[in-house]
Amino acid sequence: MTPPPREIRVVVIGGGQAGLATGFYLRRSGLVPGEDFVILDAAEQPGGAWASMWPTLRTFSPTQYSSLPGWMMPPWTGDSGYPLAAHVVDYLTQYEKRYELDVRRSAAVDSVSREGERLAVRSAAGDWLVERVVSATGTWSRPFVPTYPGSFAGLQLHTASYRDASAFAGQRVLIVGGGNSAAQILAEVSAVADTTWVTLRPPQFLPDDVDGRALFEIATSRHRARQLGEPDTGGVSGLGDIVMVESVRKARDRGVLQARESFARLVEHGVRWRDGTESPYDVIIWCTGFRPALGHLAPLGLRGADGTIPTDGTHAIKEPRLHLIGYGDWTGPASATLIGAGRTARDLVADL
């Protein structure tokens, strides 16, 4: 017999950086982990998306500007001021222990639906009836690959599946995408393979002395200006998109940060360019981003035409019992970053 749903005040869906930051502020507000709120996470291990990222990925800011509320990330003593992914995983693992957050693992949420005055959360860890749901599932589980005409017979992989450049030694590799992931992967792969970089528009590089802290402050200022009805400053778009971490700077010095415009179609052994010429490739790496993982919220019928859920800050406009955090600026300024998640979680819990 299926056990009846458990009743609890708040369920947080997702145990990555945004979910943990929310848990911190829920606990600080007086709610008791396990009694008043739980965090349901689909993964078997701590660390959120960082646990699935390639080992050489670095944060965009030093540790003092890449921390969650309450406890600063321990200093990084490696070869750069920017920590590797494993350092972040260790920090997030210790963070949830430090604050004794009740994170239920292997607890993927299947659906959230309305049930009277409450929301029903159905998960691999059981069913819950709750007053509020905080969705913090992020985007990593929904990699996006654009559609092109034609087909390619070689290896294709997305950023989410990339692990190490050595697998591509001596091969011809096409890297598609104009963001930080593309630049960091290009920097690595170009050291061992013949690479071509394709972007929809010319890549925009940030000044060498601008990192994640500055980007967060700019995004926050833009958000405040828009709330006050002041002219839109354009945010970080005027500065650029790509943070010049050490590996990317070295790639620039080697002259490999040269991008060309997108191709017209895929062909069996490569791509056809817009001028009709073709180039052969063994591998295509799609560094083309992710989409919000919102499938569990489908029964609520909230998603707009752009694929997101309309919000006022983190609050779902058409469902007052639902909050969202960590999906991008539409759920709080820089809320998909470590420092941004903490500040957004503070406002979210205050709104609860």
Side-chain angles (χ1 to χ4, degrees):
M1 180 180 294
T2 303
R6 285 163 281 186
E7 296 190 11
I8 201 166
R9 293 182 65 181
V10 181
V11 163
V12 180
I13 306 173
Q17 59 197 33
L20 296 183
T22 302
F24 170 87
Y25 280 111
L26 286 171
R27 179 172 181 177
R28 200 172 82 164
S29 73
L31 299 188
V32 179
E35 294 182 17
D36 297 316
F37 74 93
V38 296
I39 301 174
L40 304 180
D41 192 54
E44 297 178 0
Q45 70 288 328
W50 290 96
S52 301
M53 296 177 184
W54 65 98
T56 51
L57 175 70
R58 294 187 183 274
T59 67
F60 300 149
S61 304
T63 56
Q64 62 266 40
Y65 305 122
S66 300
S67 300
L68 294 181
W71 180 44
M72 186 172 293
M73 183 184 294
W76 167 251
T77 57
D79 57 353
S80 165
Y82 300 89
L84 291 170
H87 188 73
V88 182
V89 172
D90 183 65
Y91 168 64
L92 296 178
T93 301
Q94 297 306 316
Y95 187 93
E96 66 179 67
K97 292 179 180 177
R98 183 185 185 94
Y99 294 108
E100 299 178 329
L101 299 175
D102 187 1
V103 182
R104 312 287 175 94
R105 303 219 170 271
S106 300
V109 171
D110 298 319
S111 66
V112 177
S113 58
R114 298 178 180 89
E115 191 159 328
E117 296 182 355
R118 297 198 170 208
L119 293 175
V121 178
R122 294 176 173 83
S123 79
D127 298 342
W128 308 78
L129 281 176
V130 304
E131 296 175 13
R132 297 292 182 97
V133 167
V134 178
S135 185
T137 50
T139 63
W140 188 261
S141 64
R142 286 200 63 211
F144 170 74
V145 175
T147 300
Y148 280 88
S151 61
F152 174 65
L155 174 66
Q156 299 185 63
L157 69 154
H158 189 273
T159 304
S161 301
Y162 174 81
R163 302 303 296 170
D164 182 75
S166 63
F168 312 110
Q171 299 189 62
R172 299 162 298 186
V173 181
L174 181 67
I175 296 173
V176 184
N180 284 288
S181 294
Q184 289 197 36
I185 290 174
L186 172 69
E188 294 183 6
V189 176
S190 62
V192 300
D194 178 12
T195 56
T196 303
W197 188 19
V198 162
T199 60
L200 288 177
R201 59 180 177 82
Q204 302 293 312
F205 302 101
L206 288 159
D208 287 7
D209 60 347
V210 174
D211 61 19
R213 180 195 181 194
L215 296 179
F216 174 75
E217 296 300 342
I218 293 169
T220 301
S221 296
R222 182 191 190 194
H223 178 72
R224 289 171 179 163
R226 294 170 70 178
Q227 284 186 318
L228 295 172
E230 298 174 355
D232 192 341
T233 63
V236 300
S237 60
L239 289 177
D241 300 318
I242 298 171
V243 179
M244 301 303 290
V245 297
E246 183 179 8
S247 63
V248 178
R249 291 198 301 271
K250 289 182 177 179
R252 177 187 61 195
D253 296 341
R254 288 189 280 114
V256 299
L257 297 185
Q258 305 297 322
R260 62 178 299 177
E261 66 178 9
S262 188
F263 49 90
R265 65 181 295 117
L266 300 168
V267 295
E268 184 177 5
H269 298 295
V271 299
R272 181 177 301 156
W273 304 101
R274 294 177 183 177
D275 63 4
T277 62
E278 296 185 1
S279 297
Y281 293 101
D282 304 300
V283 181
I284 299 176
I285 303 177
W286 298 96
C287 303
T288 43
F290 300 81
R291 296 294 183 263
L294 300 173
H296 56 292
L297 301 177
L300 298 175
L302 302 174
R303 193 175 299 195
D306 64 353
T308 68
I309 293 175
T311 57
D312 179 8
T314 65
H315 187 252
I317 293 174
K318 294 183 179 180
E319 176 45 75
R321 296 164 290 188
L322 173 67
H323 291 255
L324 301 100
I325 181 174
Y327 299 97
D329 288 346
W330 60 279
T331 56
S335 70
T337 67
L338 282 157
I339 188 172
R343 299 188 188 184
T344 304
R346 176 194 59 201
D347 297 339
L348 184 158
V349 172
D351 195 26
L352 283 175

